[in-house]
Amino acid sequence: MKDVMGVIFTGESDARLRELTMTRAIAALPVAGRYRVIDFLVSSMVNGGIRNVGIIMQKNYHSLMDHLGSGKEWDLHGKNEGLRVLPPFLTRENVGVYTGMLEALRSNTNYLTRSKQEYLVLSNSDIIYNCNMDELVRCHIDSGADITLMYTRNPDMKRDEYGTYIAVDECGKVTEMEVEPTHPNLDLTFMDVMILKRETLRSLVDKAVAHGLHTMNRDVLMPMIQQGKANVNAYEYKGLCWRVDSVQSFFKFNMDILDTDIRHQLFSADLPVYTKVRDEMPASYGEDVTVINSLVADGCVIQGTVENSVLFRGVRVAPDAHVKNCVIMQDGQVHSGAYVENCILDKQAVIKRNARLIGPNAYPIVIAKNVVI
């Protein structure tokens, strides 16, 4: 795996996540009590032996840079290779937003040119998965394909007017692709993860940008498949995966993680998920507290009632406070007598004394960062 590099593009559309992505990219979204979405993507590459990983960023990338740091937590802080943070190249015309993955890759041609690996794994950043990249690479090399796409059969990954879907024949070759259909007609969801030769990608990007194209899936992959210009194969990912593209999907993932079986499958001993370490005291529980089926991170102080909730580091739940079916991010506070149900509290959000905040199951209430209710 020393001959494979990884590139993660963090420029996906995030409008449907509303307040959660006002100051951060989807890749930087806190999930599961102590992780960020990007932790799963970088860990998958590191567990597969990839030691050169580039992160292409867009606007609102400061939170992501702070989290990734030097890449030490992922053992990607070497002198010659390791983690490479690639912020947008700002000019009078470019204000920090790429029009698509092709422009982002074209703007980072120097990084692709300096890298020495023969193969490249390219990934988007709005899908949570924990994959053995070594299997993907071996499948690609053994097949002799020009490009190999990773897909899943999980029906929960389908979205109307969003996502990319493919058809695969009995030999593993991709025969059809549809991008953002009104209603998906194909059963297999492309997970926006592909592997190909680094020089092949550089050539494809240069030609596409020269013709004024912007998107990788619609403008490059789909014509290649339909016109038979390249041998495009597929690799089936059989593990768990979630698309984080809306408030509801973000909430669902965190609630799913409360299931012990799901948690053990995603965080397997063979494929550990690494994240930034924050040294905190263990969680503290007062007398006569009730905590049921919840994830409580280190640094929390629990003196009230917590049910079916995910509490990040440093959260405080005061006496007589009740938290139910909630996601409370780092350093959030719920004061005495407050009742909070079906809510997402961003960092440092505060629910004052005796407040009541109850959202519907299907559409949780979102409280933005640093807001006091």
Side-chain angles (χ1 to χ4, degrees), residues 294-312:
S294 298
L295 281 179
V296 180
D298 48 324
C300 290
V301 178
I302 310 300
Q303 296 176 302
T305 300
V306 179
E307 298 180 58
N308 303 318
S309 297
V310 178
L311 273 53
F312 286 70

Side-chain angles (χ1 to χ4, degrees), residues 58-77:
Q58 296 219 64
K59 62 175 184 176
N60 297 341
Y61 59 85
H62 298 91
S63 176
L64 200 54
M65 286 188 65
D66 177 67
H67 178 71
L68 293 170
S70 65
K72 181 180 179 181
E73 281 78 7
W74 298 268
D75 196 24
L76 290 174
H77 57 301

Side-chain angles (χ1 to χ4, degrees), residues 32 242 253-260 262-263 266-267 295:
W242 293 262
F253 169 73
N254 283 282
M255 293 297 103
D256 286 348
I257 288 298
L258 295 176
D259 186 310
T260 304
I262 291 177
R263 197 161 63 245
L266 184 62
F267 298 96
L295 281 179

Side-chain angles (χ1 to χ4, degrees), residues 263-312:
R263 197 161 63 245
H264 287 170
Q265 288 182 60
L266 184 62
F267 298 96
S268 67
D270 297 333
L271 298 171
V273 180
Y274 306 100
T275 189
K276 179 182 178 180
V277 176
R278 173 178 166 178
D279 294 325
E280 286 272 9
M281 296 291 289
S284 172
Y285 298 88
E287 296 182 2
D288 300 323
V289 303
T290 301
V291 179
I292 302 171
N293 189 37
S294 298
L295 281 179
V296 180
D298 48 324
C300 290
V301 178
I302 310 300
Q303 296 176 302
T305 300
V306 179
E307 298 180 58
N308 303 318
S309 297
V310 178
L311 273 53
F312 286 70

